Amino acid sequence: MLTAKERAPITPTAEDAKVAKKIVCVLRDLLVDTDRLVETKRVERVPVREGFEISLNGSPPLPIPEAALKGLYQILSSFAQGSAVAVIPVDKELTTQQAADVIGVSRQFLVEQLEGGELPFHKVGTHRRVKLSDLLEYRQNMKTKRRAALRKMTDINQELGLDF
């Protein structure tokens, strides 16, 4: 279990961002659209049966799961852009303020969504709690709805000859 300090956002230095950009290029080449590894490699570029392995300070090689590589890719991509990163388990429960911060809305708007049944929650005493997994699903649904609305508006503009 990670402590609060270990879950705190990690902000890359300029040097971290520079190194991350190089690593992201390598990882991007190893991951393909089908979310499968292009080829099987070892960190030292020695072929292994499946996935990747890493050896630290001469220890026996340990396998790195494909999902961990994808997570590393996402973290390093953010680092390469100079963005801070926080790793949070998806089963984590958030306060309404934390949840609002994650999806970039006001706490009041989020509470309205909770009370309107748009997003599941439960109470701990008098305090509302939202599962991160539910919040991420809600955010994805909102993105999907927003894209559909924009497509519809674009279609209407084209029908009316209001293309710009």
Side-chain angles (χ1 to χ4, degrees), residues 97-108:
Q97 186 60 61
Q98 291 169 326
D101 291 344
V102 167
I103 62 173
V105 298
S106 70
R107 182 185 165 282
Q108 181 180 0

Side-chain angles (χ1 to χ4, degrees), residues 22-159:
K22 292 177 184 177
I23 297 171
V24 163
C25 289
V26 172
L27 286 175
R28 183 179 45 235
D29 291 343
L30 297 174
L31 298 170
V32 295
D33 292 342
T34 57
D35 292 334
R36 304 287 305 161
L37 293 175
V38 172
E39 57 185 281
T40 304
K41 295 191 177 218
R42 184 183 230 186
V43 173
E44 296 88 6
R45 298 200 179 272
V46 176
V48 294
R49 281 186 310 213
E50 288 186 16
F52 282 73
E53 292 183 342
I54 188 167
S55 179
L56 303 172
N57 299 327
S59 68
L62 299 171
I64 300 173
E66 185 177 335
L69 282 176
K70 291 176 187 174
L72 180 61
Y73 177 79
Q74 291 175 352
I75 290 168
L76 291 174
S77 293
S78 292
F79 266 29
Q81 296 171 8
S83 299
V85 173
V87 177
I88 304 170
V90 293
D91 60 348
K92 170 89 171 139
E93 291 184 351
L94 305 173
T95 66
T96 52
Q97 186 60 61
Q98 291 169 326
D101 291 344
V102 167
I103 62 173
V105 298
S106 70
R107 182 185 165 282
Q108 181 180 0
F109 176 81
L110 180 80
V111 169
E112 289 171 2
Q113 297 298 294
L114 296 174
E115 295 299 331
E118 297 295 321
L119 181 59
F121 73 97
H122 70 278
K123 285 192 173 184
V124 176
T126 60
H127 303 281
R128 295 174 194 88
R129 295 289 184 263
V130 180
K131 287 186 180 178
L132 180 59
S133 57
D134 291 335
L135 185 66
L136 296 176
E137 183 179 335
Y138 170 82
R139 181 174 66 179
Q140 186 59 47
N141 290 340
M142 292 298 100
K143 282 183 182 180
T144 301
K145 288 178 183 178
R146 188 171 43 248
R147 284 187 190 122
L150 286 172
R151 262 193 305 272
K152 186 174 181 179
M153 288 171 33
T154 301
D155 292 344
I156 291 170
N157 281 346
Q158 288 176 348
E159 288 174 14

